Amino acid sequence: LFFASLPGYSNRLISLDKLPQGEARAPMTRAGTAKGQVLTRDGRPVAGAEVWFEADWSEWYFDYAVTDETGRFLNDRMVARGGSWVSGGGTGQYKVSLRHPHFAAPDAAIQFDPGRTEEFNIEAVEGTQLRVRVLEPETERPIPGVRVGGSSASGRLDGYTDVNGVFARCVLNGDASVFIQSPPGGTYVISSQG
């Protein structure tokens, strides 16, 4: 498996069953660009927000950009339509979500075409803090490094518990579901309480 990278182009993974004589070719596709601003309803910029891009064409491909003090973000390395390593090159379609300690936004869909810039703004609203704490059943000691997944009105949840056994995310008000995907080595899930 080889990884090819070139500024202005989508990153490319190449799998070779057999090493070729001489050189291996890595067809590259121009990257798409995401740019915009995260603002509150009354027009205030949201600094330090992570704008996440979850690929619809691959189960576990993500990318992100972080907003500056004016709420602006830029990502000029988006894997665009036809530029991925999946069969058919991928659609270039993504779900866009927001991560911030105090603000949330609903998911949005976007498609990136090679060499094109998609400019859009995200309206952030004050959210609800969702906290999951994972403890050992007998000792009630926190378990760090547990992978937590789920979904909410703000979109997909995915992350790990911190040193205090806590996974936290600001989400939109509404229903949410959370589950433990993979506890760290030496830890076992004995029961799940709803």
Side-chain angles (χ1 to χ4, degrees):
L1 193 61
F2 292 90
F3 180 78
S5 180
L6 183 65
Y9 289 83
S10 299
N11 291 335
R12 188 75 174 211
L13 289 176
I14 299 164
S15 178
L16 301 172
D17 295 329
K18 182 178 167 187
L19 288 176
Q21 293 293 328
E23 63 185 48
R25 298 206 178 263
M28 304 292 282
T29 302
R30 300 276 308 160
T33 297
K35 67 187 278 189
Q37 196 170 18
V38 178
L39 302 166
T40 61
R41 192 167 280 147
D42 60 358
R44 290 179 294 128
V46 178
E50 295 177 350
V51 179
W52 278 82
F53 302 92
E54 175 189 348
D56 281 356
W57 45 264
S58 177
E59 187 175 346
W60 291 106
Y61 183 76
F62 301 89
D63 209 334
Y64 72 99
V66 179
T67 60
D68 64 15
E69 65 279 350
T70 67
R72 296 190 187 286
F73 62 89
L74 173 70
N75 183 323
D76 59 0
R77 63 186 179 276
M78 298 302 303
V79 177
R81 182 181 42 80
S84 88
W85 48 90
V86 298
S87 178
T91 63
Q93 294 178 341
Y94 293 80
K95 287 180 189 162
V96 181
S97 60
L98 185 69
R99 293 185 187 176
H100 187 274
H102 307 292
F103 293 98
D107 272 358
I110 194 163
Q111 179 171 341
F112 293 100
D113 288 316
R116 303 279 314 260
T117 297
E118 296 297 330
E119 190 164 354
F120 58 95
N121 292 338
I122 297 173
E123 184 180 296
V125 296
E126 287 192 42
T128 299
Q129 191 66 229
L130 172 69
R131 288 175 46 90
V132 175
R133 189 160 189 228
V134 182
L135 304 171
E136 289 181 358
E138 292 177 12
T139 65
E140 293 195 10
R141 287 190 345 211
I143 305 175
V146 175
R147 187 165 190 184
V148 177
S151 63
S152 73
S154 303
R156 180 180 183 165
L157 301 171
D158 188 23
Y160 294 87
T161 56
D162 63 17
V163 295
N164 298 312
V166 175
F167 166 83
R169 184 72 47 78
C170 185
V171 298
L172 293 171
N173 294 333
D175 293 338
S177 65
V178 177
F179 55 90
I180 294 173
Q181 295 184 37
S182 52
T187 306
Y188 301 92
V189 178
I190 9 182
S191 69
S192 173
Q193 297 177 359

